[in-house]
Amino acid sequence: MRQLIVRRLLQTIPMLFFVSVVCFAMIKLAPGDPVLSFVTPNMHAEDIERIRHNLGLDKPAYIQYFIWIKEMVQGNFGYSLVNHQPVLGQILERLPATAGLMGSAILLAVLLAIPLGLIAGANRNRWLDKLINFISYIGISVPLFWLAILLMYLFAIKLHLLPSMGMRTIGVESAADVLKHGILPCSVLAFGFLASYVRYIRSSTIGQLKEEYVQIQYAFGSRKSTILFRHVLKHVLLPVITLLGMSMGDLVAGAIVTETVFSWPGIGSLGMTAVRGMDYPVIMGITLFSSLMLIIGNLAADILYSFVDPRIKLKG
């Protein structure tokens, strides 16, 4: 187990290096110039070049990358080109908001997807299975930003039941207020996760119901619900663990569009602001941080496999 963890952690180094190279190259190839956000109509060309020099953007792209990677290895993710604040500090400041929102959405999606997927798989091609599949197809097909706007219009503008944006009401400092603001974005994100989770669990359930241990349980007189939630569920958890591991990156990057629509002060909205301003240190920091969390999530999923299914060996 220890060797596996050490080996996987060492593998993150070349993977993060590759991600950083690709991300940096895409930023440099993208149209736009971050210096333009500082330019005023009365500014001379010498002033513009001075700004470019102060930001370090007058050097060749590969020099800029090596300077950035040198600082990053030392734990310095650089400073924002827009607000001149430390990149790591901004990410850590917004991390609780994104982690709370995404974690709640993923947890809600899993709690709903497990029984729905088991029921759909156990009632294959029946009306209940078709209904759950129809809901899943809607969740996969409907753009989340459109669903977010629709729910905002219905529950915030028309019915006045929930706040439309933000994380807190001005002047109100309570957990209940934060929960109330998080209902709409959490519901939108949970619906998106739920659709894919149900499909995976349904497929795994159909395969498990064909196994011999299920027929043995029927021969012993076990009820269908007992077989599903006591025996089949243990094997169905494997794809769920995989999905949770792959979702760890979302805990950092967040749902960029959803956070932007609801003005949720998380890392996703920070990333959208950075993209609009060509703030490449912030973009690079968010990309690497989310990639690292994704790698750690996959490692955690591999470790959890041994607890869910002891037959899986974590050697090599």
Side-chain angles (χ1 to χ4, degrees):
M1 177 77 70
R2 184 177 301 176
Q3 294 179 354
L4 169 70
I5 296 175
V6 173
R7 185 170 64 252
R8 291 290 295 272
L9 290 178
L10 291 177
Q11 290 175 356
T12 63
I13 298 176
M15 294 177 64
L16 291 177
F17 176 76
F18 177 76
V19 170
S20 66
V21 171
V22 173
C23 182
F24 194 89
M26 292 180 65
I27 292 173
K28 289 301 180 181
L29 292 175
D33 187 355
V35 177
L36 297 180
S37 60
F38 299 92
V39 175
T40 60
N42 299 325
M43 190 172 290
H44 297 288
E46 295 81 3
D47 299 325
I48 297 176
E49 291 303 319
R50 188 180 303 111
I51 294 175
R52 191 181 303 277
H53 175 74
N54 293 334
L55 295 177
L57 300 177
D58 58 338
K59 300 179 176 65
Y62 69 93
I63 297 295
Q64 296 180 39
Y65 174 77
F66 284 121
I67 293 175
W68 177 85
I69 201 72
K70 177 183 176 181
E71 296 293 329
M72 192 272 296
V73 170
Q74 298 175 359
N76 179 17
F77 282 73
Y79 292 84
S80 169
L81 299 180
V82 177
N83 55 28
H84 308 292
Q85 297 297 317
V87 173
L88 185 59
Q90 295 185 70
I91 294 176
L92 295 178
E93 180 182 1
R94 292 176 177 248
L95 180 59
T98 295
L101 178 63
M102 299 300 298
S104 300
I106 293 173
L107 178 62
L108 179 61
V110 170
L111 293 178
L112 294 176
I114 289 177
L116 290 177
L118 288 172
I119 294 173
N123 295 274
R124 183 183 183 184
N125 296 329
R126 299 180 182 176
W127 69 270
L128 193 57
D129 178 35
K130 294 179 180 179
L131 176 62
I132 296 176
N133 278 332
F134 177 73
I135 297 175
S136 300
Y137 290 142
I138 293 178
I140 295 174
S141 305
V142 172
L144 290 184
F145 76 90
W146 182 85
L147 179 62
I149 295 174
L150 181 64
L151 294 182
M152 182 188 297
Y153 175 79
L154 178 61
F155 291 99
I157 298 177
K158 299 296 293 185
L159 300 179
H160 302 286
L161 296 177
L162 297 171
S164 60
M165 59 182 59
M167 186 176 174
R168 296 180 183 274
T169 303
I170 299 177
V172 179
E173 296 290 337
S174 65
D177 183 64
V178 176
L179 291 175
K180 188 176 181 180
H181 279 78
I183 290 177
L184 285 180
C186 180
S187 300
V188 172
L189 293 172
F191 188 65
F193 285 118
L194 177 66
S196 58
Y197 287 3
V198 167
R199 296 296 300 167
Y200 276 98
I201 296 174
R202 175 187 178 273
S203 176
S204 180
T205 301
I206 293 174
Q208 290 298 319
L209 290 176
K210 299 177 182 178
E211 298 294 333
E212 293 183 359
Y213 72 90
V214 174
Q215 306 303 322
I216 294 175
Q217 291 298 324
Y218 277 125
F220 285 157
S222 300
R223 293 185 301 177
K224 189 174 184 178
S225 59
T226 303
I227 296 174
L228 280 177
F229 291 95
R230 181 174 297 180
H231 301 284
V232 175
L233 177 60
K234 297 178 181 179
H235 300 275
V236 169
L237 286 178
L238 290 178
V240 175
I241 293 175
T242 302
L243 293 174
L244 289 177
M246 296 176 62
S247 300
M248 286 297 294
D250 294 329
L251 292 178
V252 177
I256 295 180
V257 176
T258 305
E259 286 190 359
T260 304
V261 171
F262 288 103
S263 298
W264 190 264
I267 297 179
S269 58
L270 175 65
M272 182 65 74
T273 303
V275 170
R276 287 197 294 262
M278 290 293 295
D279 196 351
Y280 77 85
V282 176
I283 300 174
M284 293 290 293
I286 294 176
T287 303
L288 282 188
F289 209 52
S290 58
S291 300
L292 179 62
M293 290 300 296
L294 178 60
I295 294 171
I296 293 176
N298 288 330
L299 175 59
D302 290 341
I303 296 174
L304 287 175
Y305 282 158
S306 62
F307 295 98
V308 176
D309 191 347
R311 296 172 301 176
I312 298 178
K313 304 298 183 181
L314 293 179
K315 296 180 180 179

